[in-house]
Amino acid sequence: MRYCKSNDLVPGMVLAKSLYSDKNELLLASGNELTEKLIKRIRQLEYSHVCIEQEGTEDIIIGDIIDEPLLRKARKLLIDLFEGVIHESKKRSCESHEDLIKDLQTSNYVVPIDGIRKVVGEIVDEMLLKDGIYWDAIPEAFSKRVRIIHGVDAAILSILMGIWYSFSRNELDQLGLGAILHDLGLALMPDIAWKRRDDYKSDEVEHYLKHPEFGAKLLENHKAALHVVIQCLLQHH
């Protein structure tokens, strides 16, 4: 198998690795021959690359940095977390994002990050157990289908770099949690949270620029020591 940019796909190519939705639903199984319609759909879903079969590459297996089930689990947990914060935000009548933050903090609202923290630990465990992680197995760009799941990609790459630089286990956990939550502040902006940045209007861009600060403030009510994680959110731009 080999990577192929979605823009370079042509009818007749055969998919070598299955494609899944962000809700863990099978979109297209490996072994399917690509048609014009399927290629158009893959591009609409904004896959940057897919794996295809090609003569002469039968013995090449492009491994995953983490296994697909864990990747899908992490994405779903992150989406669920964002949707939960968005739901909590919509229940409150506030005139500005600043007022919303104050309301959430004074009401002692705590972002439920236990599930995310656990899955980050699972990702770190799996990556540490790999015999070797090959940088050239990473495509040029991750999928950009949904802006929020970009946090999972950021966590994987951050942990990979942390392993490269011999970070301790605790440091890897904190780095991974900060990376996966780095866009948390967008959950206070339901109108733009699911949009791509290229689609923002001028006033939405102004709101977007404040999301690192808002995300950090959302974590301030946690009793656990999240100092490094909060700094990741504050400084990620």
Side-chain angles (χ1 to χ4, degrees), residues 108-189:
N108 293 319
Y109 171 71
V110 176
V111 180
I113 64 171
D114 288 346
I116 286 292
R117 188 198 295 269
K118 183 177 179 181
V119 82
V120 167
E122 292 175 18
I123 291 171
V124 172
D125 285 339
E126 187 163 310
M127 292 175 70
L128 287 173
L129 285 172
K130 298 280 186 181
D131 291 333
I133 299 174
Y134 301 97
W135 292 82
D136 56 1
I138 304 173
E140 294 175 19
F142 280 94
S143 166
K144 298 179 182 176
R145 287 166 287 152
V146 176
R147 174 166 183 76
I148 286 172
I149 63 169
H150 158 67
V152 178
D153 299 338
I156 292 170
L157 289 174
S158 297
I159 293 167
L160 184 59
M161 287 188 282
I163 293 172
W164 184 267
Y165 286 105
S166 302
F167 278 28
S168 70
R169 174 54 199 263
N170 182 55
E171 289 171 331
L172 291 173
D173 285 340
Q174 293 186 68
L175 176 62
L177 186 58
I180 203 170
L181 293 176
H182 74 271
D183 274 338
L184 180 62
L186 290 177
L188 298 181
M189 308 171 188

Side-chain angles (χ1 to χ4, degrees), residues 54-67:
Q54 181 172 309
E55 186 176 354
T57 66
E58 293 85 357
D59 296 332
I60 297 175
I61 304 297
I62 298 176
D64 297 315
I65 299 178
I66 63 170
D67 292 337

Side-chain angles (χ1 to χ4, degrees), residues 46-110:
E46 297 188 54
Y47 280 93
S48 59
H49 294 68
V50 298
C51 288
I52 62 166
E53 297 178 3
Q54 181 172 309
E55 186 176 354
T57 66
E58 293 85 357
D59 296 332
I60 297 175
I61 304 297
I62 298 176
D64 297 315
I65 299 178
I66 63 170
D67 292 337
E68 185 68 30
L70 181 55
L71 178 64
R72 297 198 305 270
K73 176 183 176 181
R75 286 174 171 172
K76 185 177 187 307
L77 281 170
L78 188 58
I79 288 174
D80 290 345
L81 175 67
F82 267 72
E83 288 181 338
V85 177
I86 288 172
H87 177 71
E88 187 69 30
S89 300
K90 286 183 175 179
K91 290 186 339 187
R92 301 165 188 270
S93 299
C94 300
E95 295 184 359
S96 68
H97 295 115
E98 289 80 4
D99 290 340
L100 177 57
I101 281 286
K102 289 178 182 178
D103 190 7
L104 290 168
Q105 288 183 314
T106 55
S107 66
N108 293 319
Y109 171 71
V110 176

